[in-house]
Amino acid sequence: MIKIYNTLTQKLEDFKTVEPNKVKMYVCGPTVYNYIHIGNARPAVFYDTVRRYLEYKGYEVTYVQNFTDIDDKMINRANEEGIEVKEVAKKYITAYFEDTAKINLKEEGMIRPKATENIKEMIKLVKDLEEKGYAYASEGDVYFDIEKYKENYGELSHQKIDELVSGARIEVNDKKKNPLDFTLWKAAKEGEPFWGSPWGKGRPGWHLECSVMSYKFLGKDFDIHGGGQDLIFPHHENEIAQSKCGYGGNFARYWMHNGYINIKGEKMSKSKNNFFLLREVLEKYEGRILRFFILSSHYRKPIDFSDEELKMAEQGLRRIENTLIRIDEELENIKDIQDENIVELEKTYENSIAKFELSMDEDFNTAKAIGAIFELVKSINIYLDNGITKEGKETIINIKNYIKKVMIDVLGIDIKYEKKIDSNLTKDLIEFLLEIRIDAKKEKNWELADKIREKLNNLGVEIKDGKDKTTWNLKN
Ligand SMILES: [Zn+2]
């Protein structure tokens, strides 16, 4: 049984879906006014892994993630770049897909609606809220009236109305009746993009789009709503108010929130200049390493981002890959001897499968699940010290396929491992490099000749220049 920590109840709850065997999930997506930073990469990778695991467990998953393509940040960026808001959106949505392709998000079947494609539906929700008495118009703006919903407002952030008023950064203006009232529709200023509405020219408030798009694709009752913990208040609190009052139903059953990515213990921020774009990080590290790094921590905990941490993730991933390479090498040399260790390994294998699933079942604890893979890898390496026997072959192949399956399909991490290169090919390549080195020497290209010697030396090939002939041997 899968259990999810629900921010709404602050409890680990049994996961019971609205419809049997189907999971409907919505995750708040980025505002496409800039390249995404690694703080955006964390929810993208984590919720993608949630989807993958649910599919691995046999659920049919409908996954919606939006693009916010109209808001103040979009308008500011358009003015800065001297282009239209929709061009800003186009540019950064293209960049989003370029960047996230490298962290292997499963795009197949994914629904990625844009706010500007759903304006009509948003106006309809605002009108419904106004008619039901939950919203009021004020000088071309429309606000949600917290007074009408005060019994439940704050249920997700677990704060009372007065705490919210004093604690939050909320926009105060004369058009609102209550400082907590939030914008559903915003009148357009001169030169801003707008849509016609019953309240005049304007654009939707930011919170509105997620209520509308989740309803459109998932209905008024769905299973999981996810996002970063910074979205709990006011964004998600406001989504709940709009959806429950406008559409009825219970909105999302399980609210999941991921922690921040910190730099040296501090939250990333532009002002502190400790801010990394995903594409900058991907210039240095492969996406699969970043993905492995993100999943090596529990999603609700903060993670520290640093070169050291990423290098550790890289080493960890290589340890798994090297074990797979080693298995392939040993499979070419099956031993016909008594196998005293295979029973032990089979046991570890079974435990590892169980532990992986138990960990993932318990609030998607990817860190613990990866730990289970490492335990298995350690045992295989001990087993391989004696070589693979006829008796052990099948188990070893099963283990290899299992590791590949959970790493690639569930955790979404590409495994890079190649079978040992044929030794004749290696020999031919070394000889070929030596020929190039001879040519280089003839042309007095000493730099290239030395480079080849050094590189081969680093790879364990020792070169000896004789009188008429160069010989080589493998160093031990
Ligand atoms: Zn949202």
Side-chain angles (χ1 to χ4, degrees), residues 16 48 125 144 159 201 350 364 405-406 421 432 470:
K16 290 186 191 126
D48 176 69
L125 177 58
F144 188 93
Q159 294 184 84
K201 291 171 180 176
E350 270 169 39
F364 306 96
K405 188 177 172 57
V406 290
I421 295 173
F432 179 58
T470 300

Side-chain angles (χ1 to χ4, degrees), residues 72 171 189 211 231 300:
D72 290 344
E171 188 203 351
K189 293 194 198 99
S211 284
L231 297 180
R300 282 191 281 118

Side-chain angles (χ1 to χ4, degrees), residues 2-201:
I2 293 176
K3 288 184 165 66
I4 295 180
Y5 181 84
N6 192 350
T7 308
L8 194 62
T9 58
Q10 297 180 306
K11 282 194 185 95
L12 200 61
E13 293 179 9
D14 288 347
F15 183 50
K16 290 186 191 126
T17 54
V18 176
E19 281 176 58
N21 304 320
K22 284 185 183 168
V23 177
K24 295 176 185 173
M25 60 189 276
Y26 186 94
V27 176
C28 296
T31 303
V32 283
Y33 74 108
N34 198 353
Y35 300 110
I36 60 165
H37 54 78
I38 50 164
N40 303 121
R42 187 175 192 186
V45 165
F46 172 67
Y47 295 108
D48 176 69
T49 308
V50 169
R51 172 200 174 170
R52 286 166 182 270
Y53 184 65
L54 291 169
E55 286 176 346
Y56 170 81
K57 295 285 271 189
Y59 288 101
E60 190 188 304
V61 182
T62 311
Y63 183 7
V64 183
Q65 188 177 39
N66 63 308
F67 284 119
T68 299
D69 60 350
I70 179 71
D71 78 343
D72 290 344
K73 283 187 223 155
M74 295 291 298
I75 294 170
N76 292 341
R77 177 54 61 123
N79 292 337
E80 271 166 41
E81 297 198 9
I83 53 177
E84 281 187 49
V85 170
K86 57 181 179 216
E87 288 174 68
V88 173
K90 203 174 155 201
K91 176 177 170 183
Y92 291 109
I93 287 173
T94 306
Y96 177 89
F97 285 118
E98 278 168 16
D99 292 349
T100 56
K102 295 177 186 154
I103 49 172
N104 201 25
L105 304 184
K106 191 169 180 180
E107 289 297 332
E108 185 196 335
M110 198 155 171
I111 302 170
R112 291 191 178 275
K114 299 182 189 87
T116 57
E117 290 168 349
N118 294 279
I119 302 286
K120 218 173 66 198
E121 291 87 339
M122 286 196 245
I123 292 173
K124 167 94 173 48
L125 177 58
V126 179
K127 248 163 81 182
D128 289 351
L129 287 168
E130 196 183 24
E131 274 162 27
K132 289 181 180 174
Y134 291 109
Y136 60 92
S138 177
E139 298 171 44
D141 292 351
V142 184
Y143 295 96
F144 188 93
D145 193 347
I146 290 297
E147 186 60 31
K148 304 280 161 55
Y149 189 65
K150 63 179 175 194
E151 289 77 32
N152 292 313
Y153 197 68
E155 64 179 337
L156 187 69
S157 48
H158 303 280
Q159 294 184 84
K160 297 201 176 67
I161 297 269
D162 47 346
E163 289 170 333
L164 289 171
V165 174
S166 58
R169 286 180 303 159
I170 38 174
E171 188 203 351
V172 181
N173 74 39
D174 308 339
K175 297 187 206 168
K176 293 192 209 174
K177 293 199 258 181
N178 180 317
L180 282 176
D181 292 349
F182 59 88
T183 312
L184 296 168
W185 187 260
K186 193 171 185 167
K189 293 194 198 99
E190 190 64 36
E192 286 181 349
F194 63 82
W195 287 264
S197 82
W199 314 280
K201 291 171 180 176

Side-chain angles (χ1 to χ4, degrees), residues 186-426:
K186 193 171 185 167
K189 293 194 198 99
E190 190 64 36
E192 286 181 349
F194 63 82
W195 287 264
S197 82
W199 314 280
K201 291 171 180 176
R203 64 176 186 274
W206 169 45
H207 315 297
L208 198 62
E209 65 185 83
C210 293
S211 284
V212 166
M213 294 190 274
S214 59
Y215 176 71
K216 182 172 179 177
F217 295 102
L218 306 175
K220 62 182 161 58
D221 287 287
F222 60 96
D223 303 296
I224 297 172
H225 194 314
Q229 58 176 231
D230 52 330
L231 297 180
I232 296 174
F233 184 83
H235 185 54
H236 289 162
E237 201 77 69
N238 293 351
E239 282 185 28
I240 294 175
Q242 292 165 161
S243 292
K244 284 194 176 171
C245 299
Y247 297 127
N250 288 309
F251 200 37
R253 278 194 182 178
Y254 303 91
W255 284 87
M256 298 176 72
H257 293 98
N258 62 278
Y260 298 122
I261 291 194
N262 292 335
I263 316 277
K264 292 188 182 117
E266 279 189 272
K267 202 189 155 197
M268 277 202 313
S269 83
K270 270 186 179 161
S271 55
K272 285 180 193 144
N273 205 23
N274 60 358
F275 189 86
F276 293 100
L277 295 178
L278 176 59
R279 54 176 55 200
E280 292 170 341
V281 175
L282 291 174
E283 277 170 21
K284 257 174 109 177
Y285 298 95
E286 288 174 74
R288 60 199 200 95
I289 291 164
L290 183 65
R291 196 168 165 120
F292 193 64
F293 162 75
I294 289 172
L295 295 178
S296 295
S297 296
H298 191 282
Y299 77 93
R300 282 191 281 118
K301 294 193 179 125
I303 37 179
D304 258 311
F305 177 86
S306 68
D307 275 324
E308 296 82 67
E309 294 289 334
L310 274 156
K311 280 188 183 126
M312 266 170 62
E314 184 168 11
Q315 279 169 14
L317 190 51
R318 297 257 185 266
R319 204 182 320 150
I320 296 170
E321 289 169 343
N322 287 339
T323 303
L324 297 180
I325 294 171
R326 211 178 151 203
I327 289 176
D328 274 357
E329 286 173 2
E330 294 293 338
L331 278 172
E332 280 172 15
N333 184 24
I334 299 293
K335 293 191 166 64
D336 195 2
I337 51 165
Q338 187 105 21
D339 195 332
E340 282 157 8
N341 305 313
I342 193 66
V343 177
E344 187 71 30
L345 185 64
E346 272 164 4
K347 242 190 267 164
T348 311
Y349 173 40
E350 270 169 39
N351 289 341
S352 176
I353 297 175
K355 196 175 164 191
F356 182 89
E357 291 207 14
L358 274 174
S359 308
M360 290 299 282
D361 281 354
E362 190 155 320
D363 199 26
F364 306 96
N365 193 335
T366 52
K368 241 172 142 180
I370 288 171
I373 299 172
F374 276 129
E375 279 168 29
L376 180 58
V377 160
K378 195 176 159 197
S379 300
I380 300 164
N381 278 310
I382 294 169
Y383 175 84
L384 290 177
D385 286 344
N386 293 320
I388 301 173
T389 63
K390 269 188 177 168
E391 202 185 332
K393 187 179 165 189
E394 202 188 317
T395 303
I396 289 289
I397 292 173
N398 288 342
I399 293 177
K400 184 183 96 173
N401 292 336
Y402 167 74
I403 292 177
K404 279 169 70 178
K405 188 177 172 57
V406 290
M407 289 295 289
I408 298 170
D409 294 353
V410 182
L411 301 177
I413 294 161
D414 261 348
I415 288 291
K416 268 198 185 168
Y417 87 103
E418 279 111 36
K419 269 181 81 175
K420 188 173 65 174
I421 295 173
D422 171 67
S423 55
N424 280 329
L425 178 63
T426 313

